[in-house]
Amino acid sequence: MKQSFFRTLVLSAIGLLLIAANASAQQTEREKRAINAASSIYVISAEAGGVNFVEGKVAVARKDAKGGYLIKGDELEIGDKVSTGADGKAEILLNPGSYVRLGENTDFEFVTTALDNLKVKITRGSAIFEVIADREFRVSVATPKADFYVVKSGIYRIDVLAEGAGKIEVWKGLAEIGDGKSAPLKKGQSAIVNGSETTVAKFDRDEKDALEAWSKERAKDLAKINSRLNRASLRNSLMASSNRWNIYNSYGLWIFDASHGSCFLPFGYGWSSPYGYWFGQDLWNMNLPWYYYYPPTPHSPAAPNSTANTTERTPRVNQADRTMSRGGLPPFVRVQRELGADTPMTSSRPVTNSNNFPSVVTPRPQPPPVIVVPSSNPNTRTRGN
């Protein structure tokens, strides 16, 4: 009797332990799923080609001979031809921070999607480019009889006129004409290029048509999407996708939120769009571990608690070496310096400029990136200004 009672007691205890272990395992799996879900709320990208907005009929002829109509969220590749209808509009993502907005009856395609040499082609219609650029990360636009180069952050309109002549209007920024014979076009200047013939004039920036008004409204909406980003969730997504981005290959990242769409997350802080709408969130506001802000070198200190995949969590060496040949500065730091910020990563006073973009505001407590400079001592490191 006693043995039977003892056997029953032991079996009951074992059963309770198994139930508890199973519950613990289930809880662990739930926690893992929750972490994975939190890190996948936002999709991170540094590539051009995303379709961010479509209105009316916008057709696409794919390079593989397939066709159809574009919808928000589609991806374009080199050689895909986009055509808007009489009621069509489309917003397409270029390099992070830059957009092209197509008006009605417009034909568009990518020639290249390289971050530092992006080229597009417009063979019909009108488009507005909202661009973050400099001479090292310029945007090239080909029309049937003219090539234009956007070499400074700003707003540009390009039209294909009768018989293929190209027209550019510089609302903000600086642009060049492909023949290299004309002086760069500044804010408020336009040029009509018909082969070897170029006519430069001034235009009234107060006169805006429907396409220009829509482009500005889109810029405002995208700044709002940026301000709605959830910092905790985005931080998880950034770390989970860190093998796909680094601070040395662009000005920021595309962040896709299924609820609101894609927006730009700048690497620098205190930035606004070329239209002047401020970005409420940026990389410096994410409070990432320190090593995400440092470029890789063979002599870089290991990240705390590093694992075998640490190299996937830090920027790649080849891109840092490539940037060093351009002066050792990340593109976003170089842009801030060109616009008059003496100490863009540490200044405690607002820095203004004629375009109001980008400006520096009171810094957050995150450290600035460490800039690697050539030195006889391979371990020499200096902080970015």
Side-chain angles (χ1 to χ4, degrees):
M1 184 72 176
K2 290 182 179 180
Q3 291 179 348
S4 176
F5 175 78
F6 180 74
R7 186 182 303 112
T8 301
L9 184 63
V10 170
L11 291 174
S12 299
I14 292 173
L16 290 172
L17 289 173
L18 290 173
I19 292 172
N22 184 54
S24 177
Q26 289 180 351
Q27 183 178 12
T28 301
E29 288 301 317
R30 284 197 298 271
E31 290 174 349
K32 289 180 179 178
R33 287 196 298 270
I35 293 172
N36 291 335
S39 64
S40 62
I41 289 176
Y42 296 108
V43 178
I44 312 299
S45 173
E47 298 179 354
V51 179
N52 205 37
F53 180 93
V54 173
E55 181 179 302
K57 289 185 178 181
V58 181
V60 59
R62 300 286 185 179
K63 62 180 180 180
D64 59 4
K66 295 181 180 179
Y69 289 101
L70 280 185
I71 61 173
K72 180 179 177 180
D74 280 350
E75 294 287 336
L76 296 174
E77 297 183 358
I78 295 171
D80 293 343
K81 295 178 172 59
V82 176
S83 299
T84 61
D87 62 343
K89 295 178 183 176
E91 178 181 80
I92 299 170
L93 306 180
L94 304 179
N95 292 339
S98 300
Y99 308 81
V100 59
R101 299 187 178 104
L102 309 179
E104 60 189 27
N105 298 318
T106 298
D107 295 339
F108 166 90
E109 67 177 285
F110 282 102
V111 179
T112 74
T113 55
L115 287 168
D116 58 350
N117 189 27
L118 187 136
K119 298 180 181 179
V120 302
K121 182 188 297 183
I122 297 176
T123 55
R124 178 179 67 118
S126 304
I128 291 183
F129 290 80
E130 179 188 352
V131 170
I132 298 177
D134 65 12
R135 292 185 183 276
E136 296 288 348
F137 284 74
R138 68 181 187 176
V139 176
S140 305
V141 184
T143 65
K145 293 186 178 181
D147 293 329
F148 301 109
Y149 301 95
V150 173
V151 297
K152 188 175 181 180
S153 301
I155 304 162
Y156 307 82
R157 175 172 178 148
I158 294 179
D159 298 273
V160 177
L161 306 179
E163 301 180 356
K167 179 181 179 180
I168 183 171
E169 294 177 343
V170 181
W171 291 74
K172 287 184 179 180
L174 190 72
E176 296 177 347
I177 299 172
D179 60 12
K181 297 178 182 179
S182 303
L185 299 174
K186 300 179 181 180
K187 179 174 63 175
Q189 289 185 311
S190 67
I192 297 176
V193 182
N194 190 0
S196 60
E197 299 178 1
T198 301
T199 303
V200 177
K202 294 183 178 181
F203 69 97
D204 187 353
R205 292 185 300 143
D206 292 330
E207 294 183 4
K208 298 180 176 65
D209 65 7
L211 175 60
E212 290 149 3
W214 171 66
S215 179
K216 185 174 182 178
E217 189 64 26
R218 283 296 301 162
K220 182 178 180 180
D221 292 341
L222 291 165
K224 290 180 179 179
I225 294 174
N226 170 280
S227 67
R228 296 190 188 110
L229 295 173
N230 183 283
R231 187 168 66 178
S233 298
L234 180 53
R235 183 177 185 274
N236 291 334
S237 295
L238 287 166
M239 290 192 291
S241 63
S242 61
N243 62 320
R244 298 197 299 272
W245 63 269
N246 68 68
I247 64 172
Y248 274 82
N249 66 0
S250 67
Y251 303 107
L253 297 167
W254 292 125
I255 309 297
F256 176 74
D257 174 6
S259 300
H260 302 103
S262 293
C263 69
F264 175 56
L265 182 77
F267 287 147
Y269 57 79
W271 282 39
S272 68
S273 75
Y275 280 100
Y277 298 112
W278 292 98
F279 298 125
Q281 298 288 1
D282 54 61
L283 186 69
W284 299 96
N285 199 27
M286 296 299 111
N287 291 316
L288 297 177
W290 64 268
Y291 47 88
Y292 286 90
Y293 302 101
Y294 283 63
T297 70
H299 307 280
S300 295
N305 301 319
S306 60
T307 60
N309 67 348
T310 298
T311 55
E312 296 181 356
R313 291 180 167 271
T314 57
R316 300 173 193 147
V317 174
N318 60 350
Q319 183 62 49
D321 291 341
R322 184 181 181 189
T323 305
M324 281 175 58
S325 67
R326 294 173 172 166
L329 292 175
F332 76 92
V333 174
R334 188 171 62 245
V335 167
Q336 291 183 164
R337 285 188 169 182
E338 289 177 354
L339 291 175
D342 295 331
T343 53
M345 303 308 301
T346 58
S347 175
S348 60
R349 60 180 178 83
V351 178
T352 60
N353 54 74
S354 59
N355 288 340
N356 195 33
F357 170 79
S359 295
V360 180
V361 296
T362 302
R364 300 187 177 100
Q366 292 80 16
V370 169
I371 308 305
V372 180
V373 297
S375 171
S376 58
N377 181 353
N379 291 315
T380 298
R381 304 166 70 84
T382 59
R383 284 192 179 274
N385 288 329

